[in-house]
Amino acid sequence: MKAVVLDNLRSVYNVGSIFRTANAVGMEKIYLCGTTPTPLDKKGERRKDFAKVALGAEDTLKWEYVESTVECVKKLKDENYFVIALEQSDKSVDYKEVSAKGKEKIAFVIGAEVVGIDSQVLALSDVVAEIPML
């Protein structure tokens, strides 16, 4: 099982893009935490702005809203997920050095656009991987 955890993202367009990318690379579920927009609006209706970017991925990928990213990651850890936080920090390693060989359950955590991943979530993660940016 491969999952993505979105930690308090703000942009509906970024979330829609992540849905589309996650679908393309074979992720099975997305956890939308905190302020992260969901494919449905407050009335429970499909968001047109989300659908425009996700291009149908919101219909084929399982997703779940969870209020607390910390609680979501704790639950995944209890279910034996190997948690990889994608973040630039003094403790991060190059993503090319990360090995999840032999791990059946993997969750990737992606943080908010400006502030990144919550420090408590980073502490719970098995590894913090950095994707170098120019």
Side-chain angles (χ1 to χ4, degrees):
M1 179 79 164
K2 309 283 187 287
V4 177
V5 177
L6 302 183
D7 179 26
N8 289 295
L9 273 72
R10 294 276 181 191
S11 169
V12 68
Y13 301 112
N14 288 344
V15 178
S17 294
I18 291 168
F19 261 73
R20 191 174 69 241
T21 303
N23 192 39
V25 298
M27 294 291 127
E28 298 167 68
K29 188 166 185 178
I30 297 183
Y31 294 90
L32 307 167
C33 302
T35 59
T36 304
T38 72
L40 305 176
D41 65 17
K42 291 179 182 180
K43 296 178 186 176
E45 297 177 12
R46 293 172 57 94
R47 293 181 62 134
K48 291 179 182 171
D49 52 354
F50 193 104
K52 181 178 180 178
V53 181
L55 297 174
E58 73 278 22
D59 297 325
T60 59
L61 264 173
K62 294 178 187 174
W63 63 272
E64 178 181 340
Y65 174 77
V66 180
E67 188 172 336
S68 166
T69 309
V70 171
E71 294 306 315
C72 180
V73 171
K74 282 181 180 178
K75 177 181 174 265
L76 292 172
K77 296 284 292 177
D78 288 345
E79 295 173 7
N80 296 315
Y81 274 81
F82 183 72
V83 177
I84 302 171
L86 301 174
E87 181 69 87
Q88 294 176 327
S89 79
D90 57 346
K91 296 181 182 181
S92 61
V93 298
D94 189 301
Y95 78 98
K96 295 177 211 146
E97 298 174 17
V98 176
S99 174
K101 193 174 186 176
K103 306 291 184 186
E104 291 184 26
K105 296 179 175 182
I106 301 169
F108 296 92
V109 182
I110 300 172
E113 295 87 347
V114 176
V115 297
I117 298 172
D118 181 275
S119 61
Q120 290 179 304
V121 174
L122 290 174
L124 290 168
S125 300
D126 295 296
V127 65
V128 179
E130 180 174 338
I131 300 172
M133 304 297 285
L134 297 176

